[in-house]
Amino acid sequence: MRTFFAIFALAGLSMGGTASAQECTQTIEGNDLLQFNLAEVRVSAGCEEVTINLVHTGALPVTVMGHNWILTATTDYMDVAAAGQAAGAPEYLPAGDARILAATDLIGGGEETSVTFSLAGLEPGGDYTFFCTFPGHYVLMNGKFVIE
Ligand code: CO
C-alpha cells in the first residue's frame, strides 16, 4: 500500500497538482426528454486522458431515443451532426470521420457507456462542442467541452 500511495502522489505532482482524477473523468446523463444534464463539461489540460461516462437515465429504447456523446470542434459540429443523420442507423455516425475527436456508442434507456481519449492534439481554451448524433437530437442535446 505504501508503494501505491507514493506512486499516486508522484502522479499528482507531475500534473502540477491541478488535475484530480475527478477532473479527468466526467459523467453526463441523457434522458427521455432530449436533454443532457450538463451544458458544459470541463476538464483539466493536465489530464493525459479524459473519460466521459454517458448514462441514459430514460426508459425508451435506443431506436427511439438513442443517445451518444460525440466531440468535435465547434466549427464542425453542425456538419458532423448532419453527416451522422445521413449515415443512418444503427450508429448515426459517419465512419472514419477525422472531425470526430471522441465518440461513445449509441445507447438506449437504462444503459451506460463510456469513451476514453487523449487530449493530445486538442488545444486548451479551444472551442469544442459535444452533442448527440441521433437524428434531430443535436439541436437540444449539445454543450461546450472546455479544456482549462
Ligand atoms: Co440522443
Side-chain angles (χ1 to χ4, degrees), residues 65-68 132 134 137 141:
M65 188 56 66
H67 297 322
N68 57 16
C132 174
F134 193 92
H137 288 198
M141 301 190 75

Side-chain angles (χ1 to χ4, degrees), residues 13-146:
L13 285 175
S14 70
M15 293 185 288
T18 58
S20 72
Q22 184 59 38
E23 290 168 319
C24 300
T25 299
Q26 302 283 350
T27 296
I28 184 168
E29 297 176 357
N31 64 21
D32 280 345
L33 301 174
L34 298 180
Q35 296 166 327
F36 282 130
N37 69 326
L38 299 176
E40 191 173 73
V41 170
R42 307 182 79 90
V43 298
S44 167
C47 299
E48 290 190 16
E49 289 185 326
V50 168
T51 295
I52 302 296
N53 297 314
L54 173 63
V55 180
H56 193 321
T57 60
L60 294 171
V62 65
T63 50
V64 175
M65 188 56 66
H67 297 322
N68 57 16
W69 190 92
I70 308 302
L71 180 66
T72 69
T74 294
T75 50
D76 293 330
Y77 151 56
M78 299 292 268
D79 288 343
V80 171
Q85 184 158 338
E91 292 296 328
Y92 297 103
L93 204 63
D97 191 319
R99 296 173 296 181
I100 297 171
L101 304 173
T104 69
D105 294 335
L106 191 74
I107 59 172
E111 297 179 321
E112 299 184 20
T113 188
S114 70
V115 60
T116 296
F117 57 100
S118 170
L119 291 181
L122 303 190
E123 295 182 13
D127 191 358
Y128 300 101
T129 293
F130 66 83
F131 54 100
C132 174
T133 60
F134 193 92
H137 288 198
Y138 71 96
V139 176
L140 292 174
M141 301 190 75
N142 66 77
K144 290 290 188 178
F145 182 77
V146 179

